[in-house]
Amino acid sequence: QKEVEQDPGPLSVPEGAIVSLNCTYSNSAFQYFMWYRQYSRKGPELLMYTYSSGNKEDGRFTAQVDKSSKYISLFIRDSQPSDSATYLCAMSEGRDDKIIFGKGTRLHILP
Amino acid sequence: GAVVSQHPSRVICKSGTSVKIECRSLDFQATTMFWYRQFPKQSLMLMATSNEGSKATYEQGVEKDKFLINHASLTLSTLTVTSAHPEDSSFYICSARGVQGASGYTFGSGTRLTVV
C-alpha cells in the first residue's frame, strides 16, 4: 500500500458545483496536511495547510482532516473554470520533515 | 509572499551533455531546498534535500553522481544533470523552505527537460 493514495481523475464538474477531492494515507504519524494546486507546466502552489484533525476554511476552499480514518478532503464551493488544475494532497510527520505527495487529481470545471 | 525563481523553464539538450538548473529564493533565505522530479500524470518524487553549505541528501535510487546538487548560498541551489540521456527527460521542480516549516514550502515554476 502506498503511503498516500489519491484518485488521479480526471474529474469534470459544471461551473458552480461543489467539488470534493480526497486522499487516504497509511502512516498514522502524519500530522501536517496540505493541498497544492498545480497548473499545467507550472510548479505547485500551496492552497491549504492544516495541522492534525479538524476543518479549515479559506474563502471558497475548505480542508478537512480525519486522522482516525486517515482521510483528508478538500472542498471547493462555487467552482470556477479557473479552478481547473491538478490538485495534490501532501503530508508530513513533522514540521520540518519530508513531504509526501499524492499523485494529484486532475479537475476540469466546465463553463 | 515568498517567491522562488527557477530557470530555465524549458531546455532541450543532446544526449551526453550536461544541463544546469537554477533555483533562487528571491525574498527570503532558504535554509533548505528540495529537488523533485515529476513524470506525466505522476506525483512529485523527491530526489534530494540540500542545506546551505553542506552536501545534499539523496533519496534512495537517485544517483548522486548523475544529479549534482550545489547549495552554495541561502538563496541559490543548482541541479546539474550530467551526461543526460533520453530517460532523464522529465519535469524538474525545486522548492525552498524558509523558517515556517511545512507551511513555508514554496515551489519554483519547474523546468521541462527534454534530452534528444
Side-chain angles (χ1 to χ4, degrees):
Chain A
Q1 181 185 11
K2 293 184 179 178
E3 275 197 292
V4 180
E5 298 273 7
Q6 184 176 11
D7 187 336
L11 177 64
S12 297
V13 299
E15 183 177 357
I18 296 175
V19 175
S20 173
L21 304 168
N22 313 291
C23 286
T24 59
Y25 62 94
S26 58
N27 185 354
S28 58
F30 285 141
Q31 294 196 84
Y32 294 84
F33 303 91
M34 293 142 277
W35 285 95
Y36 287 85
R37 177 175 62 196
Q38 185 177 22
Y39 291 111
S40 181
R41 297 187 175 86
K42 297 291 185 184
E45 56 176 324
L46 182 66
L47 274 180
M48 300 288 283
Y49 165 75
T50 54
Y51 169 71
S52 195
S53 285
N55 295 357
K56 185 173 185 178
E57 186 174 322
D58 184 2
R60 296 185 294 112
F61 299 90
T62 300
Q64 287 186 351
V65 175
D66 182 348
K67 291 189 69 179
S68 62
S69 302
K70 298 191 183 69
Y71 187 88
I72 69 171
S73 301
L74 177 70
F75 298 96
I76 306 175
R77 291 184 299 280
D78 188 24
S79 54
Q80 307 291 314
S82 58
D83 294 328
S84 298
T86 296
Y87 290 79
L88 300 109
C89 63
M91 43 201 82
S92 67
E93 293 184 14
R95 183 170 164 252
D96 296 329
D97 288 335
K98 181 171 66 175
I99 293 178
I100 307 298
F101 287 87
K103 281 190 176 183
T105 299
R106 285 182 296 140
L107 173 66
H108 298 293
I109 305 299
L110 307 171
Chain B
V3 177
V4 171
S5 174
Q6 186 174 343
H7 290 283
S9 59
R10 174 173 287 187
V11 58
I12 301 172
C13 70
K14 290 185 177 180
S15 188
T17 61
S18 295
V19 174
K20 179 183 283 189
I21 302 170
E22 289 191 351
C23 182
R24 293 179 184 273
S25 56
L26 297 185
D27 50 3
F28 68 102
Q29 292 186 327
T31 53
T32 307
M33 287 189 172
F34 305 86
W35 288 94
Y36 295 85
R37 185 172 180 177
Q38 187 177 34
F39 291 104
K41 301 180 183 179
Q42 296 295 315
S43 183
L44 281 77
M45 298 301 298
L46 180 65
M47 298 174 67
T49 302
S50 71
N51 294 294
E52 184 263 339
S54 61
K55 288 185 178 180
T57 301
Y58 290 81
E59 295 298 303
Q60 191 174 9
V62 178
E63 299 176 59
K64 61 180 181 180
D65 294 330
K66 181 167 189 61
F67 299 100
L68 301 179
I69 292 171
N70 184 281
H71 194 161
S73 76
L74 284 171
T75 59
L76 174 64
S77 176
T78 61
L79 166 67
T80 301
V81 183
T82 62
S83 186
H85 290 283
E87 58 265 30
D88 298 324
S89 299
S90 188
F91 192 55
Y92 293 87
I93 308 174
C94 70
S95 75
R97 184 178 71 198
V99 297
Q100 295 176 17
S103 67
Y105 287 86
T106 303
F107 285 82
S109 54
T111 297
R112 172 76 57 190
L113 171 63
T114 303
V115 184
V116 297

